[in-house]
Amino acid sequence: MTLPSSRARTPVRAAAPAASAVGATAPAPAPAPVNVLALAVAGAVTVANIYFPQPLLAAVARGLDVSDRTAGLLATTAQAGYALGILLLVPLADTARLRRLTGTLLALTSGALLVAAAAPNALTLLLATLALSTTTVLPQILTPVAAVLAGAERRGRVVGLIGLGLTLGSTLSRTVSGAVSDASGSWRTAYLVAAVATAGLLCVLPRALPERLGVPGACRVPYGRMLAGLPRLLGVHRALRVSALVGACVFAAYSVFWAALVFHLAAPPLGYGPGAAGLFGLLTVPAALASAYAGPLTDRFGTGRVGRWALGCVGLGLAAAGLAPYAPVALAAGAGLVVLGTSACQVANQARVLGLGREVAARVNTVFMLATFGGGALGSLTAAWLYGAYGWRATVLGAASFTALGVLAASWRRSAFRA
């Protein structure tokens, strides 16, 4: 799927002003064609590496002879590693050679997945999870690349389509890993499958990317200066502050729900195995597909309306799952609403911050996604504690509390949240 430019090309002056570390506006080239399908598939495969272990947690606990709470740390480690990779690696996309960067990250992730598959104990698995989740940050490089190449008129649509790939990758990966685990009799096979799929992208993804993302003629900001300038981006852009806070709250709620769901499904009276737990990911596919419309809706109505609607979906999903904790239909419906609301909120927020300037696209996305996945790590840790100590209803209530904080954040200086 290639989106052609809808603008006439505007020549770029050879002596264009250099962009500062926080985003002095430089003359932007006309939008270029972008292979949305290739980028969406690559995003789906790589983001799956964060989520496919979730239906396997109970099997990992049994296989390595550790407690459910220890196995649950895998989800927390994955979110924390992803946040670390976003901080240290994603800003490089503003200045680095994209093809070389993506090839290196894919190779490192594939190797870490193989180590995880062969892990003899929980500590090795946790360290391998930290390594692979740190390097599998390509989705957060591909999204600003696609948004910049598509241009302002189609930014929401393209971000929505890439977001659809990420949502499908995160949801279907649970189904695939659960089915693979059941069919093979070992949770390790799922890691092998993920390693092969990730390595396969080396043959496709680099060719779909431009050599560089930045504005031609703009100065190359040193790596240390880029990292040091990230907090200043929050000070300069009020919309980034609001979007980052909302993203953190919503993804914390999402992570609380999904990290605890596998244990809730495996416990009596439900007693489902990894395959059945992974099936819940398949049941949320319609919701994931529906979330693709968040992009065009954001272009038309603005981030504020779409964001508030999305938060309402998350709240409804949590209510369904909390009020009928042992009804599979209610749990599936709740999971679908949580996926739909989280994905739509992500698209709205990300489209907003990616409009702050081509020359800082990767860096503002770094700040936004760092906040988002920092919230995800907090949510996973909260789920491990709440579910182990108080059970399912208390865990859902914790997720609802994060959602309520997101509503308050979205309402704070609401004008800053509008497109």
Side-chain angles (χ1 to χ4, degrees), residues 231-251:
R232 192 178 171 194
L233 287 168
L234 280 170
V236 170
H237 302 292
R238 185 174 61 181
L240 178 58
R241 295 195 298 272
V242 176
S243 294
L245 183 55
V246 173
C249 292
V250 172
F251 206 65

Side-chain angles (χ1 to χ4, degrees), residues 35-141:
N35 191 334
V36 178
L37 180 60
L39 299 188
V41 170
V45 171
T46 50
V47 81
N49 294 329
I50 303 297
Y51 299 102
F52 82 81
Q54 289 183 356
L56 310 177
L57 295 179
V60 168
R62 293 192 300 270
L64 297 180
D65 193 23
V66 296
S67 67
D68 286 350
R69 184 172 297 184
T70 299
L73 290 176
L74 286 174
T76 303
T77 301
Q79 297 290 356
Y82 201 56
L84 182 64
I86 289 170
L87 172 63
L88 298 180
L89 300 177
V90 173
L92 292 172
D94 278 335
T95 57
R97 293 182 177 179
L98 291 175
R99 295 171 184 172
R100 179 183 298 177
L101 177 62
T102 56
T104 301
L105 293 178
L106 287 170
L108 290 173
T109 303
S110 301
L113 284 164
L114 291 175
V115 172
N121 52 54
L123 178 60
T124 303
L125 183 56
L126 285 170
L127 292 176
T129 298
L130 180 63
L132 73 90
S133 58
T134 300
T135 56
T136 192
V137 291
L138 277 178
Q140 306 316 321
I141 292 175

Side-chain angles (χ1 to χ4, degrees), residues 8 21 55 80 122 157 159 168 182 200 205 244 285 298 312 317 327 336 343 364 369 414:
R157 177 186 174 193
V159 170
L168 289 175
D182 278 355
L205 183 59
V285 168
T298 296
S343 301
V364 295
M369 294 308 304
R414 184 175 294 173

Side-chain angles (χ1 to χ4, degrees), residues 178-208:
V180 167
S181 176
D182 278 355
S184 65
S186 173
W187 57 267
R188 299 178 187 273
T189 309
Y191 281 88
L192 293 174
V193 171
V196 171
T198 302
L201 292 176
L202 284 165
C203 303
V204 179
L205 183 59
R207 301 177 184 179

Side-chain angles (χ1 to χ4, degrees), residues 50-51 53-57 72 75 79 167 170-175 250-265 276-285 287 314 318 321 331-340 342-343 376 379-380 383-384 387 392 395-396 399:
I50 303 297
Y51 299 102
Q54 289 183 356
L56 310 177
L57 295 179
Q79 297 290 356
T167 302
S170 63
T171 54
L172 290 179
S173 64
R174 299 182 179 98
T175 303
V250 172
F251 206 65
Y254 177 90
S255 296
V256 168
F257 179 84
W258 279 103
L261 180 63
V262 61
F263 295 113
H264 178 62
L265 293 174
L279 181 62
F280 272 72
L282 184 61
L283 295 175
T284 62
V285 168
V314 175
L318 293 174
L331 290 173
L337 285 169
V338 169
V339 167
L340 174 60
T342 302
S343 301
S380 296
Y387 186 79
W392 176 248
T395 305
V396 172

Side-chain angles (χ1 to χ4, degrees), residues 5-33:
S5 168
S6 59
R7 291 180 176 176
R9 291 194 174 272
T10 304
V12 179
R13 292 186 180 92
S20 72
V22 297
T25 303

